[in-house]
Amino acid sequence: MAATPDFDASGGTWSFATAREPAEFPAVEVEGVPGVEHAGGAGRTLCGIRGRYLKFFLHDFQPQALASCRKCRALAEGAPSRPCGQERLHDLLLQEAEDGPLRTDLLAALRRGVRIAIWITGPAKVLIRFHSRIDRMTEEAGPATEALAAAKTSITLARVEDTDRQYLVVLPPDGRARIARGVVTGSPAA
């Protein structure tokens, strides 16, 4: 049920408001005080310990973990939620993509909660080869291919899969977003 675009996990109508995500904070530990994880903030923990005494972990702070700082737990749980991926991509396309039928269709799909299969930034050559699926795009593939080819070092790609269509969004670091569309081969992965 959660993967059905028009409904949220509780069976209600999907919307940006119902799909908001909890705030995330990096997990940190205070040097010399092992065993207690804190939520990292802007140069300090949420509970106020300064940055120079912190060791960052490669995972997010888990407020409900037994080893979490009680004060950080309360502050993290009380932090405002953040927009879901669909809303963030929607807002980015409003600013960065030229108006046109593909943009209009993709914006509508994002408002319905369509699945974002991948949204990644990395080395252009690797992303083009393994993640773009540009060969499956049938509409506006030329401009998207040109934007991919022009990327020298890093690029951002988003691949969005609807029930019968897939979209490729190319976000070059120094240019306008390009959108291409193709037919989904098989059903989107869950």
Side-chain angles (χ1 to χ4, degrees):
M1 185 73 137
T4 304
D6 295 326
F7 297 95
D8 66 11
S10 65
T13 302
W14 192 96
S15 69
F16 289 158
T18 62
R20 292 193 65 86
E21 300 170 351
E24 293 180 344
F25 300 94
V28 299
E29 186 177 83
V30 177
E31 290 180 15
V33 186
V36 178
E37 285 193 6
H38 296 269
R44 59 184 53 227
T45 65
L46 293 185
C47 66
I49 301 168
R50 293 182 29 196
R52 66 181 176 184
Y53 303 111
L54 304 179
K55 176 172 70 172
F56 284 79
F57 293 111
L58 295 177
H59 62 270
D60 287 334
F61 176 71
Q62 301 297 318
Q64 296 306 319
L66 292 175
S68 68
C69 163
R70 285 183 281 178
K71 190 170 182 182
C72 284
R73 175 185 303 158
L75 292 168
E77 288 175 342
S81 60
R82 66 186 187 123
C84 64
Q86 288 88 344
E87 184 176 358
R88 292 191 309 266
L89 185 56
H90 179 276
D91 292 350
L92 186 127
L93 291 174
L94 284 175
Q95 295 176 8
E96 299 296 328
E98 292 181 27
D99 195 16
L102 288 184
R103 176 180 174 245
T104 301
D105 291 349
L106 180 52
L107 291 173
L110 290 166
R111 285 190 296 272
R112 285 192 328 271
V114 69
R115 180 177 175 270
I116 299 174
I118 190 170
W119 189 354
I120 188 170
T121 300
K125 288 182 182 181
V126 173
L127 296 186
I128 292 166
R129 185 171 179 193
F130 296 108
H131 300 290
S132 73
R133 297 186 182 172
I134 192 70
D135 58 324
R136 298 181 186 180
M137 300 300 133
T138 56
E139 298 176 60
E140 295 298 320
T145 301
E146 290 172 13
L148 289 168
K152 301 295 184 213
T153 56
S154 179
I155 196 160
T156 299
L157 298 178
R159 207 173 60 247
V160 177
E161 295 180 354
D162 207 344
T163 52
D164 61 345
R165 299 175 181 180
Q166 64 180 326
Y167 297 86
L168 174 67
V169 179
V170 179
L171 299 157
D174 56 354
R176 303 276 299 166
R178 299 286 183 232
I179 302 170
R181 179 168 58 193
V183 177
V184 172
T185 53
S187 62

